[in-house]
Amino acid sequence: MFSNDELKAWYTTMPVDLDWLEKPSRHQFRWRLPNDRWATLPRQVSHEQTLRKQFAKYAPRDLYISTSAWLNPVDLPRLKDTDAPAPILLDHLVVFDIDFRPFCYRRLEQARSVTHGLLTWLDEHEDLELQYISYSGGKGFHLVLRDNDRTLFGTPEPRLREERVRASRQELLQRVLDAGFEVDTTVTADTRRIIRLPGSLHGTTGWCCTRISREQLRRPLKTWKETLPKHQRAQPMRHWPIGFRDIRSAVSSTIKRPFKKTTAPSPTQANHAGTPPKSLSMQMSSQVVGTKGRSALMAWIPERWGEGQREYFIKSVKEKEWFPVFQFRQGPHEFILIPRAIPTPQLRKQLPQLGLQRLSTEIGSLGHYWVDMSYHNPEDEEQNSELMFTGRLDDSDETHSKVPWSATHLEALKRLGVIVEAEGEIAGRPEPAMRIVTKV
C-alpha cells in the first residue's frame, strides 16, 4: 500500500514508542520490508533514535518487538534447536491480542468491549500489572501486562525456565478462555512471539499502533476514534463490514484471467422460469502460481468428519511437514488453508486418505483444483455470513518445514487479513489465481 519513501517519511516525523520499556536492549526487534522480506535487528539498542537509524535504506512496512526479554536478544536460536545453547529468558510479558475481523468500526467496537471486559476480569482474578493498552492499527487491541510473580524466572536451567513460563502462560490463557473471552490463542503462551510496536504504522490499513488509556478503553470507540494517528492515505474505517457487492468489485480487479460476465436472475425471476436461483461465487485455485506442479492444500471440512478423522488429518499433515494450518469459519462451516508449495502428485495421492477425494479427482483432470472462498449452499441461511479467521494450528510453536512456502497463498492469507511471518524458502509468485463463477 505504501512506498518506501512514504514509510521513511512516516518514521522520520513520527517517533516509535519505547517509553513503556524498562530496557529496550533486552528485546528483539523485527520488521517486514516493503518487498515482504523480513529483517531482524542485528544488534541491541537502548534508544528510539538508534532503532530509527536502521531504517535509513528501507523503512518497515510493519514493525514488531518481542514479548520476551533476553540476556542477549541477538541471533536467538529456534526453540527446536536443542543443539545450540539455550538463550537466557529474563522476562516474558503477558500479552492478549483481541481481534475482530474484518477491519471496520462495528468489529472494532466489539473488540474494544471484549478488551475492556477482559482487563476488568484480570484485575479481579490475576496478579498482573498493566504495562499498556494499545489499538493495534488493524482489527483490534493489545493488552500488555507483567506477571508480579517472578518465581519461574528464578529457575536455574535456561531451557527448563522457558518451558515452565510457557506452561504457566498456557494455564493463564485457558482460564481466560474458560471465562468466555475471545482472544488470539497463539499469542499469550508463546515466549518467541512478536507484537506490533506502539508508534509503528500498520502497513495494510495505514493506521498507527497507538497506546491508549484505561479511560479511552472504557468509552465507546466513536468518542475517541478521530484522535488516533494515521497516514494520510490510510484506509477509511467503514462503519459496517464490506458487503458482498463490494467484495465482488474489489476482487474482480485482482483476477488476472479474463472471465465472462453473467447476470444471475433474481429468485423471483428464477422461480417464474421454473429454474432454481443462481448466485455468484468467488473461487481460488490451489496452484502455486509461477511453479510447475505445486499446489497448496485448502478445503472446506466435510460435515461428516468426526474427531477420529480430524485427528488423522492433523497427524498426516504433521508427518508430511505441511504446517501451519490456518483455520477459518463461516457460520457452522470450517475452512482450512495450508500455504505450502506441495508437489501436486504427492498432494493428489494424499487427498483421498484425508477424506477429500473430490479434490484429488479434480487435480487429476485439471492439474490443480478450485475452491469456493465462501460456503455455497442455496438452502443454507449461514452462507451469507463472513469468513472469519479462527486461529493457526502448528505442530509446535516454532514450526520448521522442508516444504517451501507458497507465495501465492501467503498473499491470499494477507488479503484475508492474516499476516504470516514466513521464514525459509518461498516458492512461486504472490498472484492468487481467482475467478468468479455462477452457481445454482
Side-chain angles (χ1 to χ4, degrees):
M1 181 178 178
F2 301 102
S3 69
N4 186 50
D5 288 342
E6 288 176 314
L7 294 171
K8 288 175 68 174
W10 172 272
Y11 286 101
T12 299
T13 58
M14 300 292 288
V16 293
D17 184 358
L18 299 179
D19 292 344
W20 56 276
L21 273 174
E22 183 178 351
K23 290 187 177 181
S25 60
R26 299 303 192 195
H27 291 262
Q28 185 184 72
F29 293 86
R30 303 194 67 193
W31 57 92
R32 186 192 299 272
L33 297 170
N35 62 3
D36 273 354
R37 297 293 182 182
W38 282 88
T40 301
L41 191 67
R43 52 173 293 188
Q44 294 175 272
V45 297
S46 299
H47 304 287
E48 182 259 343
Q49 294 86 350
T50 307
L51 177 62
R52 293 208 316 197
K53 288 181 180 179
Q54 303 295 315
F55 309 150
K57 185 174 182 181
Y58 292 108
R61 196 186 81 188
D62 298 283
L63 176 60
Y64 300 86
I65 186 172
S66 65
T67 59
S68 291
W70 307 90
L71 182 62
N72 181 10
V74 180
D75 295 329
L76 289 175
R78 289 177 175 272
L79 195 62
K80 277 187 171 182
D81 189 359
T82 55
D83 294 332
I88 309 299
L89 178 66
L90 300 179
D91 199 1
H92 179 237
L93 297 170
V94 179
V95 178
F96 292 100
D97 184 5
I98 300 93
D99 275 350
F100 279 70
R101 293 172 171 82
F103 175 66
C104 70
Y105 170 81
R106 296 289 295 183
R107 291 290 185 262
L108 274 174
E109 177 59 20
Q110 286 181 280
R112 181 206 62 80
S113 178
V114 171
T115 306
H116 178 254
L118 173 57
L119 181 57
T120 301
W121 185 89
L122 292 171
D123 287 339
E124 296 174 355
H125 295 88
E126 303 292 339
D127 185 19
L128 302 170
E129 180 183 349
L130 181 66
Q131 299 296 292
Y132 72 84
I133 311 159
S134 71
Y135 164 56
S136 70
K139 307 171 189 69
F141 298 85
H142 295 157
L143 284 180
V144 179
L145 310 102
R146 191 169 186 266
D147 192 347
N148 288 324
D149 184 355
R150 314 305 298 163
T151 305
L152 295 176
F153 296 98
T155 304
E157 205 283 310
R159 205 175 304 277
L160 179 59
R161 178 190 303 181
E162 187 173 0
E163 289 175 1
R164 288 179 174 176
V165 170
R166 293 167 72 91
S168 175
R169 297 291 185 262
Q170 186 61 47
E171 292 172 0
L172 170 61
L173 173 62
Q174 192 57 55
R175 292 195 294 272
V176 167
L177 294 174
D178 290 344
F181 295 102
E182 299 179 64
V183 300
D184 188 331
T185 58
T186 65
V187 175
T188 308
D190 189 354
T191 51
R192 304 301 178 93
R193 179 62 56 170
I194 54 177
I195 58 171
R196 290 188 183 274
L197 182 65
S200 66
L201 193 68
H202 192 295
T204 301
T205 67
W207 290 67
C208 182
C209 179
T210 308
R211 282 200 290 166
I212 62 173
S213 66
R214 277 180 178 262
E215 174 60 21
Q216 284 176 296
L217 185 66
R218 184 185 65 80
R219 292 188 283 112
L221 178 62
K222 64 182 179 182
T223 64
W224 51 272
K225 176 173 73 75
E226 298 304 322
T227 67
L228 293 171
K230 59 183 178 180
H231 194 276
Q232 61 183 2
R233 291 204 305 110
Q235 289 183 17
M237 187 183 292
R238 295 171 177 262
H239 191 81
W240 293 96
I242 298 177
F244 175 75
R245 293 179 183 272
D246 298 318
I247 291 176
R248 185 176 65 183
S249 175
V251 171
S252 64
S253 64
T254 70
I255 299 176
K256 305 303 177 184
R257 303 176 183 176
F259 62 96
K260 182 179 179 181
K261 292 185 178 180
T262 59
T263 303
S266 66
T268 304
Q269 291 173 325
N271 290 337
H272 280 306
T275 58
K278 297 180 180 180
S279 63
L280 292 174
S281 176
M282 184 181 72
Q283 295 184 333
M284 182 166 64
S285 171
S286 66
Q287 179 186 7
V288 180
V289 176
T291 68
K292 291 185 178 180
R294 287 188 179 268
S295 287
L297 173 52
M298 51 183 183
W300 290 95
I301 300 300
E303 295 181 6
R304 64 180 182 277
W305 276 19
E307 286 303 315
Q309 180 64 42
R310 291 173 183 274
E311 292 176 3
Y312 177 78
F313 177 86
I314 297 301
K315 178 182 177 182
S316 297
V317 297
K318 178 179 179 180
E319 291 175 350
K320 299 289 184 183
E321 295 187 349
W322 297 350
F323 263 89
V325 180
F326 291 86
Q327 301 168 300
F328 297 81
R329 180 174 290 275
Q330 181 182 341
H333 311 292
E334 297 179 67
F335 179 78
I336 57 101
L337 195 159
I338 302 176
R340 293 287 183 179
I342 304 167
T344 304
Q346 183 184 10
L347 179 61
R348 182 188 178 190
K349 181 180 179 180
Q350 190 69 21
L351 285 172
Q353 301 175 38
L354 296 176
L356 300 170
Q357 174 65 55
R358 184 188 64 79
L359 301 182
S360 177
T361 302
E362 190 169 344
I363 285 181
S365 60
L366 298 178
H368 66 109
Y369 63 86
W370 293 98
V371 171
D372 290 319
M373 294 310 292
S374 60
Y375 191 83
H376 180 77
N377 183 346
E379 299 179 356
D380 190 346
E381 296 180 354
E382 295 284 355
Q383 72 170 338
N384 291 322
S385 59
E386 299 166 34
L387 186 66
M388 305 292 289
F389 177 61
T390 57
R392 165 176 167 159
L393 179 63
D394 293 337
D395 67 327
S396 74
D397 295 290
E398 283 288 318
T399 302
H400 178 68
S401 173
K402 296 178 182 178
V403 183
W405 294 94
S406 165
T408 305
H409 297 86
L410 289 174
E411 173 64 20
L413 284 169
K414 185 169 73 173
R415 297 186 190 188
L416 290 169
V418 182
I419 304 298
V420 182
E421 182 185 347
E423 296 184 353
E425 183 183 357
I426 300 178
R429 300 194 303 269
E431 302 172 6
M434 309 179 79
R435 69 179 184 182
I436 292 179
V437 298
T438 302
K439 287 199 166 188
V440 174

